[in-house]
Amino acid sequence: MAHPSVPVVPALKDELDIVIPTIRNLDFLEQWRPFFQPYHLIIVQDGDPTKTIRVPDGFDYELYNRNDVNRILGPKASCISFKDSACRCFGFLVSKKKYIFTIDDDCFVAKDPSGKDINALAQHINNLLTPSTPFFFNTLYDPYRDGADFVRGYPFSMREGAPTAISHGLWLNIPDYDAPTQLVKPLERNSRYVDAVMTIPKGTLFPMCGMNLGFNRELIGPAMYFGLMGDGQPIGRYDDMWAGWCAKVICDHLGLGVKTGLPYIWHSKASNPFVNLKKEYKGIYWQEDIIPFFQSVSLPRECTTVQKCYVELSKLVAEKLGHVDPYFQKLSEAMVTWIEAWDELNTPSQAAPETKTK
């Protein structure tokens, strides 16, 4: 006698929000429907708030435009960027879920070497639910994946790993290049599929890309602020990298892990390199000061929560980078405003717990 099949409930169905910044109709969701439809979407509409954004039928979503940002945050809305994909962090702010996956609207389902569609969300979830190894590098990469383990010589005392705060995915087709690299390699496409996930070691920074990114909001959410970019600001296209540098320093301090590698998405559209150069050129100069700054940051032991770490980091930004350009003083103030907004919208039970520093 046949028994009725038991519906398969997608992993973290009620614990994860998908955040999408956009200025256009979200037709790209049709390709993602098999993977995204069970989840709740938070759509952050950038640009003209009177424009109507079409979302395909059948998706559970909230949509926020600039009028909503101003209404919800009041004067603190000044910390949310306008006319820049950095506005996505407003979605992180209003979410009430434990996990976030964020993706750009020009990213589509990629295929693995066998031709099978890649469920990027499922891979991010797997990355986030398994530990990281930030304190000792495993030469077989992620030892928690099926078919892998810790290699000979890996200390047994470290094999429990550390909680994973961030899962950073990659892209096939259009690489995430800066404007000068785009200009000298206009036809370059990434076709290399590397079947690997690895933990970024403690003390090592990385250029985080926000177009294919998952994170544990309870562990690192308050640090995922994408800065002041776009309209009225002297810089753009450094939003996700700024968040990545801040978050990585805080993860290192709190003993949390960051993974990079799988999953891949298909990045379909190359942005205009000349427009990008206008947005990036100050950042290209400034990062020669920014990177040494983050490499030298040492947070005090009293900073036992992400919020405390982030406020302390904001002070150091003003103190150490203020001489580079007045923008960094403004950014430092916005970082504090962001934390104030985070604490207002998130109850203590939802705030990141205190963590023993390592």
Side-chain angles (χ1 to χ4, degrees):
M1 178 179 176
H3 295 281
S5 60
V6 178
V8 177
V9 178
L12 304 181
K13 176 182 177 295
D14 298 318
E15 298 180 73
L16 182 144
D17 278 333
I18 299 173
V19 175
I20 305 168
T22 194
I23 58 170
R24 58 181 62 87
N25 293 335
L26 294 181
D27 300 324
F28 91 114
L29 285 173
E30 289 293 357
Q31 195 180 104
W32 287 103
R33 186 182 290 276
F35 306 129
F36 288 3
Q37 189 164 359
Y39 295 88
H40 179 254
L41 312 182
I42 297 178
I43 300 162
V44 184
Q45 178 180 340
D46 199 14
D48 182 2
T50 66
K51 180 179 177 181
T52 299
I53 298 292
R54 193 186 75 81
V55 181
D57 293 338
F59 286 93
D60 171 35
Y61 69 93
E62 301 167 68
L63 190 150
Y64 297 93
N65 61 33
R66 191 68 199 190
N67 292 338
D68 299 313
V69 174
N70 293 336
R71 173 178 54 83
I72 292 168
L73 294 184
K76 292 183 175 64
S78 61
C79 73
I80 304 298
S81 298
F82 184 56
K83 294 185 178 178
D84 192 279
S85 63
C87 68
R88 82 177 75 225
C89 63
F90 178 77
F92 310 160
L93 193 65
V94 297
S95 171
K96 301 303 177 188
K97 303 291 178 62
K98 182 175 181 179
Y99 299 96
I100 295 287
F101 170 58
T102 185
I103 186 171
D104 285 4
D105 60 15
D106 62 349
C107 295
F108 293 86
V109 178
K111 293 184 182 296
D112 68 17
S114 73
K116 181 182 177 183
D117 285 350
I118 297 169
N119 184 347
L121 180 53
Q123 179 67 52
H124 278 297
I125 289 171
N126 186 67
N127 291 348
L128 291 167
L129 293 182
T130 53
S132 296
T133 55
F135 311 118
F136 200 93
F137 188 79
N138 191 55
T139 51
L140 269 182
Y141 307 122
D142 188 347
Y144 306 102
R145 289 188 71 192
D146 290 342
D149 210 325
F150 294 96
V151 298
R152 181 170 56 89
Y154 200 101
F156 282 88
S157 60
M158 293 184 174
R159 294 191 181 194
E160 285 188 4
T164 301
I166 298 172
S167 171
H168 178 255
L170 300 174
W171 346 266
L172 294 172
N173 196 35
I174 306 293
D176 186 30
Y177 285 162
D178 54 37
T181 308
Q182 281 183 289
L183 286 167
V184 298
K185 294 183 173 182
L187 301 179
E188 184 156 295
R189 300 293 181 264
N190 180 36
S191 60
R192 294 181 66 234
Y193 179 96
V194 180
D195 186 11
V197 178
M198 64 185 74
T199 298
I200 301 173
K202 181 179 181 180
T204 299
L205 297 174
F206 74 112
M208 189 173 81
C209 173
M211 74 172 82
N212 175 22
L213 182 70
F215 63 92
N216 184 322
R217 188 175 175 277
E218 289 185 1
L219 286 181
I220 199 62
M224 297 299 277
Y225 174 51
F226 277 43
L228 288 176
M229 304 283 154
D231 193 53
Q233 307 302 334
I235 186 175
R237 285 174 54 83
Y238 273 80
D239 53 327
D240 42 8
M241 291 185 289
W242 180 263
W245 296 328
C246 292
K248 184 57 164 65
V249 165
I250 293 172
C251 283
D252 287 352
H253 177 74
L254 296 179
L256 303 173
V258 178
K259 291 181 180 179
T260 189
L262 301 181
Y264 283 92
I265 50 86
W266 181 269
H267 185 207
S268 66
K269 188 177 69 174
S271 48
N272 187 309
F274 297 100
V275 173
N276 290 347
L277 188 58
K278 279 185 176 181
K279 296 177 180 179
E280 291 176 3
Y281 79 94
K282 286 193 175 182
I284 291 169
Y285 286 112
W286 290 349
Q287 71 183 34
E288 300 306 318
D289 291 292
I290 293 171
I291 300 305
F293 161 73
F294 279 108
Q295 288 174 327
S296 65
V297 163
S298 178
L299 297 170
R301 293 187 64 84
E302 298 76 48
C303 292
T304 52
T305 67
V306 177
Q307 284 95 325
K308 289 177 182 177
C309 290
Y310 204 73
V311 170
E312 181 65 25
L313 192 55
S314 74
K315 296 174 186 175
L316 294 172
V317 167
E319 178 186 334
K320 303 294 186 181
L321 294 177
H323 73 279
V324 175
D325 191 273
Y327 166 77
F328 289 98
Q329 179 63 47
K330 186 178 179 182
L331 177 57
S332 168
E333 294 166 3
M335 292 168 71
V336 175
T337 302
W338 162 263
I339 293 297
E340 292 171 351
W342 186 280
D343 287 343
E344 277 187 19
L345 269 64
N346 295 275
T347 62
S349 63
Q350 294 170 318
E354 295 212 355
T355 308
K356 290 182 180 179
T357 58
K358 293 192 176 183

